[in-house]
Amino acid sequence: MPTPLAPALLLLPASPAPRLPRPRPGPSRRARPPVVRAAALHALPRRLELWPPRLAAVESKPPPPPLEPPEPGEESAVSGFDARAGGGDGGGDGGGGGDLGWLKAFPHVLTASMANFLFGYHIGVMNGPIEDIATELGFQGNPFLQGLVVSIFIVGAFFGSLGSSALVDKFGCKRTLQIVSIPLIIGALLSAQADSLDEMLLGRFLVGIGIGVNTVLVPLYISEVAPTKYRGTLGTLCQIGTCLGIIAALSLGIPSESDPHWWRTMLYAACVPGVLIVAGMQFAVESPRWLAKVGRFDDAKKVVESLWEPSEVEKSMEEIKAVVVNDDSRGSWSDLLVEPHNRVALIGGSLFFLQQFAGINGVLYFSSLTFRDVGITSGALASLYVGITNFGGALVASNLMDKQGRKKLLIGSYLGMAFAMFLIVYGISFPLDEGVAHSLSIAGTLLYIFTFALGAGPVTGIIIPELSSARTRSKVMGFSFTVHWICNFLVGLYFLELVNKFGVGAVYAGFGAVSLLTAVFAYNFIVETKGRSLEEIEMSLNTATPGKQE
């Protein structure tokens, strides 16, 4: 999650899940199978609906016949991470004490979530040494240029999220993660070696592009690779990775208080995770859903066999094939304008819009001043306290995600954020003892960060790909994160101006009101996805859509 960054503030996307529109397989890859009813689809669980009414189920067509093996030179979809411990794609609550089924997918998910660690690191890396950078590169005393060095990162992320869908659809999740590590590495090197403002801006912009793609891609990948039973728990690694990246940057930045050139070391260090992602993803699996979309069903089955419980392999492959066969065209951006994709896109964009205007970046920015009031004058130390609180909340969320479900955590999270905001407003707006007022402000700030990390952060990135169809998943994610970056930029741009005009109490009261509104929105429009495969969710939503009869 973001930390105090002046003046444009970044939000850590909660992390986000995977799925892509599929390129049409060439004639040499597979023939179109005859259309019949898909009896193999086993009766679906109760129907999911984004909102009423209930509608008749649609016909499905059977999976295509087995495909030929990949042509010579085509990479295998199954990686060297083949941990044969447990499994499970079944529904139900997340694993208990002796349930180690998540271990199969964990190495692959952990490798991908290193991209979120890098995201968090780049959020925190400018928090301390920005003044030293300005002095050395010749723009000290210019708050606009200092803000531009920070905000150009958001501009790059905006363009990265827009272009992420095309990359994922063409190259798949695994290869795209490796490709976008290149601008992350080059951007960090350019920034570390910068001798002018222009070089620093170019480096930060390249880093932003890579981060913009990765914030879409990592939750997408995790949702498509993780077994259903553990999808929520593993999805929280996006949030955890971002928190750890922020903490690492703030901790590594401590020497910058005495060494004005330490910022170069910090930026050089940002190259290391990028290199590890390129190397590590070489041994990770490709998304089985993407493999099926491009016609590589044999490879998709190998991945499922390596990650899922053996008893679930055939059922899962039948569902994946049925979804692919029922959708014989490439997805396009115009699909987001028609049912049911427009509803999912609206929910995804709304969740990120409300998340940003619930004030997470404003609270993070103002937290350093809040801590200063109680004697903690080091901005880096205050941010470290916030980062640790955020990390603790993310750990609790990882334990609850597949037990309590996404919807409960999301509603509870925003209610807790609203209470925290009103607690701070009470502390600063009513005549209280100064010590009591400061204590309430500190308690409210930490409670807000903790409750954000319980749901508003991680659930937003997890549930959007779960609700999206295979055809439009990457585009819905790209659209949602584009909304995220726009709102992130606007909040960072106008937050201080609003505080100066209306006061902290009024602005925080507005954040609390938006948090309450978001809880109501989640209660009415979010459906529970815990324990359901992506294909079950997609087919249930499609059957609830008018005009989908075939």
Side-chain angles (χ1 to χ4, degrees):
M1 100 179 325
T3 52
L5 292 172
L9 316 161
L10 299 174
L11 166 78
L12 100 184
S15 327
R19 205 50 222 294
L20 344 153
R22 70 185 179 109
R24 188 192 303 269
S28 61
R29 304 293 290 267
R30 67 173 172 132
R32 174 79 173 168
V35 175
V36 295
R37 293 181 181 272
L41 270 185
H42 315 295
L44 286 176
R46 65 186 180 280
R47 176 173 305 164
L48 291 171
E49 297 179 12
L50 291 180
W51 49 74
R54 295 179 180 271
L55 294 161
V58 320
E59 279 189 339
S60 294
K61 302 163 195 154
L67 296 181
E68 302 165 3
E71 299 173 5
E74 250 183 359
E75 72 172 282
S76 172
V78 182
S79 77
F81 293 147
D82 193 8
R84 301 280 176 182
D89 189 37
D93 291 347
D99 187 352
L100 300 178
W102 52 270
L103 280 177
K104 280 185 171 185
F106 183 74
H108 312 275
V109 171
L110 180 65
T111 303
S113 64
M114 287 174 60
N116 283 82
F117 175 89
L118 195 51
F119 171 46
Y121 186 88
H122 279 291
I123 288 176
V125 75
M126 289 290 173
N127 194 65
I130 184 64
E131 293 291 342
D132 294 331
I133 294 172
T135 300
E136 189 164 342
L137 299 186
F139 58 94
Q140 70 274 21
N142 190 327
F144 173 78
L145 292 180
Q146 291 183 25
L148 185 61
V149 169
V150 176
S151 61
I152 196 70
F153 174 94
I154 302 178
V155 176
F158 169 81
F159 286 107
S161 61
L162 274 180
S164 59
S165 174
L167 289 172
V168 174
D169 291 347
K170 182 174 180 60
F171 299 108
C173 297
K174 174 179 175 177
R175 192 61 68 218
T176 301
L177 271 169
Q178 293 177 307
I179 292 171
V180 299
S181 294
I182 296 173
L184 287 169
I185 296 170
I186 294 176
L189 286 173
L190 280 174
S191 300
Q193 297 174 345
D195 293 318
S196 68
L197 174 63
D198 291 342
E199 292 176 352
M200 175 61 71
L201 291 175
L202 177 59
R204 292 285 291 171
F205 180 75
L206 289 175
V207 166
I209 289 176
I211 293 299
V213 176
N214 281 343
T215 51
V216 171
L217 178 58
V218 176
L220 191 81
Y221 176 78
I222 293 175
S223 72
E224 294 193 346
V225 165
T228 299
K229 186 177 180 180
Y230 313 103
R231 193 174 60 233
T233 297
L234 293 174
T236 60
L237 285 179
C238 292
Q239 177 91 353
I240 291 172
T242 307
C243 296
L244 290 176
I246 294 173
I247 293 172
L250 295 174
S251 302
L252 188 60
I254 293 175
S256 67
E257 296 181 3
S258 57
D259 182 356
H261 305 294
W262 183 251
W263 62 271
R264 294 189 185 273
T265 301
M266 295 177 67
L267 290 171
Y268 277 125
C271 300
V272 177
V275 173
L276 293 177
I277 291 170
V278 173
M281 289 306 296
Q282 192 61 34
F283 301 96
V285 297
E286 180 54 88
S287 161
R289 273 87 178 193
W290 181 81
L291 291 168
K293 282 191 349 182
V294 298
R296 294 169 59 182
F297 284 93
D298 287 344
D299 283 344
K301 185 173 182 179
K302 289 178 183 177
V303 173
V304 171
E305 287 174 340
S306 71
L307 302 180
W308 266 253
E309 185 176 321
S311 62
E312 298 291 335
V313 171
E314 292 303 322
K315 176 178 179 289
S316 299
M317 283 306 301
E318 287 167 358
E319 292 178 349
I320 291 173
K321 289 177 181 179
V323 166
V324 170
V325 171
N326 277 333
D327 179 17
D328 62 351
S329 61
R330 296 170 182 258
S332 66
W333 286 102
S334 62
D335 288 335
L336 301 190
L337 301 176
V338 299
E339 296 281 356
H341 315 300
N342 59 351
R343 291 177 292 160
V344 178
L346 177 62
I347 286 176
S350 298
L351 283 176
F352 273 123
F353 175 89
L354 293 168
Q355 180 200 65
Q356 290 297 291
F357 285 96
I360 179 60
N361 287 303
V363 173
L364 289 172
Y365 178 88
F366 218 73
S367 63
S368 59
L369 299 180
T370 303
F371 279 91
R372 192 177 303 163
D373 287 339
V374 295
I376 302 174
T377 57
S378 170
L381 186 59
S383 297
L384 194 57
Y385 287 145
V386 169
I388 292 172
T389 302
N390 186 16
F391 176 64
L395 286 180
V396 174
S398 70
N399 185 52
L400 297 178
M401 193 66 67
D402 284 316
K403 294 178 180 177
Q404 298 301 318
R406 286 58 152 161
K407 186 172 182 176
K408 286 183 181 178
L409 286 182
L410 195 62
I411 295 172
S413 172
Y414 277 108
L415 289 177
M417 290 161 62
F419 175 78
M421 283 291 93
F422 295 137
L423 185 66
I424 297 174
V425 171
Y426 178 76
I428 64 180
S429 301
F430 291 87
L432 300 173
D433 178 79
E434 186 175 357
V436 174
H438 288 164
S439 297
L440 288 177
S441 296
I442 290 291
T445 298
L446 294 180
L447 177 63
Y448 179 93
I449 300 300
F450 183 81
T451 52
F452 175 89
L454 279 180
V459 171
T460 306
I462 290 172
I463 202 167
I464 295 173
E466 290 181 331
L467 293 175
S468 306
S469 69
R471 178 177 178 178
T472 61
R473 189 167 293 129
S474 64
K475 289 179 171 58
V476 169
M477 287 291 287
F479 166 77
S480 301
F481 270 96
T482 299
V483 172
H484 165 271
W485 291 116
I486 293 173
C487 296
N488 186 306
F489 181 80
L490 291 175
V491 171
L493 185 63
Y494 291 108
F495 173 71
L496 288 181
E497 185 176 336
L498 291 173
V499 168
N500 291 332
K501 185 172 183 179
F502 300 105
V504 177
V507 173
Y508 273 27
F511 290 159
V514 173
S515 297
L516 284 178
L517 175 64
T518 310
V520 174
F521 176 85
Y523 178 80
N524 286 285
F525 297 114
I526 299 300
V527 295
E528 186 54 69
T529 56
K530 178 191 74 170
R532 300 167 186 264
S533 73
L534 299 181
E535 290 70 35
E536 288 173 350
I537 296 169
E538 176 175 350
M539 288 183 285
S540 295
L541 292 177
N542 282 343
T543 61
T545 302
K548 290 297 288 185
Q549 208 94 358
E550 287 191 345

